[in-house]
Amino acid sequence: MTTTIKAINARVQAIYRLRIAHVEECEPCKLDKPCADGTELLRRWREGVRESRAERERLR
């Protein structure tokens, strides 16, 4: 893996950990009805996953 992919994956993992911590504390998110913060964290995580996949494809 290149440094770029490792950096992207580290950022994605950090966002995922933030989201998990948020869900544990937020009642609406626990009930699978994400609040604005939960929705934003989920959006950022998905965006990072797409970026990581795109970078891996680009390097092939």
Side-chain angles (χ1 to χ4, degrees):
M1 259 195 236
T2 67
T3 305
T4 304
I5 292 174
K6 287 181 182 180
I8 293 168
N9 288 343
R11 188 175 71 234
V12 169
Q13 288 174 357
I15 293 168
Y16 184 76
R17 285 190 298 271
L18 282 172
R19 185 172 186 290
I20 294 299
H22 172 80
V23 169
E24 289 175 356
E25 299 296 320
C26 179
E27 283 302 318
C29 289
K30 281 182 187 177
L31 300 173
D32 203 24
K33 297 177 183 187
C35 67
D37 290 339
T39 302
E40 176 64 14
L41 286 168
L42 182 59
R43 184 194 65 75
R44 288 176 52 203
W45 176 73
R46 286 180 177 156
E47 185 178 280
V49 169
R50 282 191 295 269
E51 184 181 351
S52 178
R53 286 182 185 149
E55 184 66 18
R56 276 186 266 148
E57 286 297 317
R58 187 184 71 78
L59 293 173
R60 284 188 182 174

